[in-house]
């Protein structure tokens, strides 16, 4: 259970991250340090090899007047002259010395088993002489001992190599590493096949690197433990917020949907999660309240027609004077009450579906000018029947105003508003429908000269089954405006009400317009 905890996983993750990161950095640093120290040791060996080569081939203190260069850097013209006079001359070394007017080059190489030193004189003639290196062995040993005295016998050792024809074929230094990196050195072979093997002790460097490794391991372990603790505390900070969400969810599961998650000083992502959870819970609470209201309203509103139907049926069944005509009349009244109940239930269910977003809107392009013109033609006979002055006002420029709306739902909104206007406007009154639009919004208005609404009752008129005090004597179920508001809010529109008791009301649907695209 502990290993499955988020705190444990985060803590172990930080620990492993620290360990792996530090190990990778340490490995790279150690490699670079070892490489640089090895390169420095090899460079020192090469410098010592060059000194020994000068001691073996040159007269004493001759190296002050020049330097050894590689065979590839030798002047080709002088080398060609020497090879022309000394056939089968195999070049090994070149010594470049600075003369008063030009550089002089001495070529060291083999000819027929002899080791020669040759150079081109100023006159162009070739001067050569055979070299016997046995006499320089003591000078080489003296130079090596002097170097050992400088660095200590524990850091540098020497071994003399006797002359060998095989080694004489490839004179010069040969660098190598021995004993798993503890010893670095070179074997210096002279042209006569003899030579010297020098070994430099690399163990102190390795021991120092091991000491550094132990120190690094201790520091890394301490950092890893610190990172593990930091990860634990960091995980505890946001798992605490998650636990709070869980506690609220437990309360909601027990039936209290009023609970909300309240967090402070938490991570942005956790706060966003809490906000979304609160919005979801608020929506759930609203739906449950909606369900409760629907249940209560259905029970309340159906009681009256059911009571009437029961009374009519009981009278018909208990009366002795009831004939077929009376039974037919009772059945007709019951059917009428059933139809009213069906319409009532249908409207309540439609309001609930729209409010809960269960009924998906199907928007399409609707031209409000054409839509209101068609609706005016449809409702005009009803106005004539009640002797009501019904008019339609459209923008003077007759510019088309196109919106995205569910056409059927829009018809229900404007149709209900017009139906209420005709219902509550007496004969001889007036109903006006108009359209106004700007670049930002369109406004559809329905204005009547009916009984009006009391100012204190305006906030309640969109509640289900709520009717104004001035309309109590007129038939209706109080669901029309509730459905209007549900559809308007589902479209993200607004509805405004202005009313004067005894003079009439004005209902205005405000529809935001999308900005026109840039040309």
């Amino acid at each position: 259970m502990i290993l499955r905890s988020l705190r444990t996983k985060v803590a172990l993750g930080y620990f492993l991250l620290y360990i792996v990161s530090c190990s990778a950095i340490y490995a790279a640093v150690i490699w670079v340090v070892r490489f640089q120290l090895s390169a420095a040791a090899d460079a020192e060996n090469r410098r010592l090899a060059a000194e020994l080569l000068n001691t073996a081939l040159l007269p004493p203190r001759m190296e002050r007047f020049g330097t050894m260069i590689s065979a590839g850097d030798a002047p080709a013209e002088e080398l060609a002259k020497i090879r022309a006079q000394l056939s089968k001359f195999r070049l090994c070394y070149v010594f470049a010395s600075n003369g008063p007017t030009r550089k002089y080059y001495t070529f060291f190489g083999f000819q027929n088993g002899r080791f020669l030193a040759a150079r081109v004189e100023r006159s162009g003639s070739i001067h050569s002489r055979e070299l016997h290196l046995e006499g320089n062995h003591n000078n080489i040993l003296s130079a090596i001992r002097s170097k050992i005295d400088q660095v200590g016998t524990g850091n540098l050792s020497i071994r003399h190599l006797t002359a060998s024809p095989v080694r004489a074929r490839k004179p010069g230094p040969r660098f190598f590493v021995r004993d798993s990196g503890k010893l670095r050195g070179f074997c210096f072979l002279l042209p006569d096949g003899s030579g010297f093997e020098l070994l430099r002790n690399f163990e102190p460097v390795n021991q120092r690197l091991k000491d550094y490794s132990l120190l690094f391991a201790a520091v890394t372990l301490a950092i890893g433990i610190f990172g593990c603790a930091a990860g634990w505390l960091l995980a505890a900070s946001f798992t605490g917020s998650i636990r709070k969400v869980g506690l609220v969810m437990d309360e909601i599961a027990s039936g209290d949907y009023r609970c909300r998650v309240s967090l402070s000083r938490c991570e942005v992502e956790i706060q966003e999660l809490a906000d979304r959870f609160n919005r979801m819970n608020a929506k759930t609470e609203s739906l449950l309240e909606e369900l409760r209201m629907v249940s209560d309203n259905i029970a309340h509103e159906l009681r009256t027609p059911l009571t009437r139907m029961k009374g009519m049926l009981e009278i018909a069944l208990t009366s002795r004077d009831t004939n077929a005509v009376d039974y037919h009349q009772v059945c007709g009244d019951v059917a009428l009450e059933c139809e009213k109940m069906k319409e009532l239930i249908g409207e309540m269910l439609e309001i609930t579906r729209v409010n809960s977003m269960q009924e998906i809107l199907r928007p399409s392009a609707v031209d409000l000018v054409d839509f209101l013109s068609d609706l005016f033609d449809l409702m005009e006979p009803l106005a004539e029947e009640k002797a009501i002055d019904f008019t339609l006002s459209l923008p003077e420029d007759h510019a088309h105003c196109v919106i995205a709306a569910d056409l059927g739902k829009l018809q229900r909104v404007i149709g209900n508003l017009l139906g209420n206007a005709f219902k509550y406007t007496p004969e001889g009154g007036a109903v006006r429908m108009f359209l106004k639009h700007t670049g930002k919004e369109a406004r559809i208005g329905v204005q009547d000269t009916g009984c009006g609404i009391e100012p204190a009752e305006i906030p309640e008129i969109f509640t289900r089954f709520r009717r104004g005090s001035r309309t109590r004597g007129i038939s209706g179920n109080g669901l029309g405006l509730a459905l209007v508001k549900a559809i308007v809010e589902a479209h993200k529109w607004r509805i405004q009400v202005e009313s004067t008791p005894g003079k009439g009301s004005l209902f205005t649907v405000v529809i935001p317009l999308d900005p026109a695209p840039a040309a």
Side-chain angles (χ1 to χ4, degrees), residues 335-354:
L336 182 61
E337 292 293 336
C338 289
E339 184 64 26
K340 291 180 180 179
M341 291 170 58
K342 179 181 177 182
E343 292 179 0
L344 177 67
I345 294 174
E347 287 191 6
M348 286 193 295
L349 292 177
E350 183 175 5
I351 294 172
T352 302
R353 286 196 300 268
V354 174

Side-chain angles (χ1 to χ4, degrees), residues 78-90:
E78 294 189 16
L79 179 59
K81 289 181 180 180
I82 291 175
R83 285 178 172 171
Q85 182 170 338
L86 302 175
S87 61
K88 299 182 180 181
F89 180 78
R90 182 165 59 87

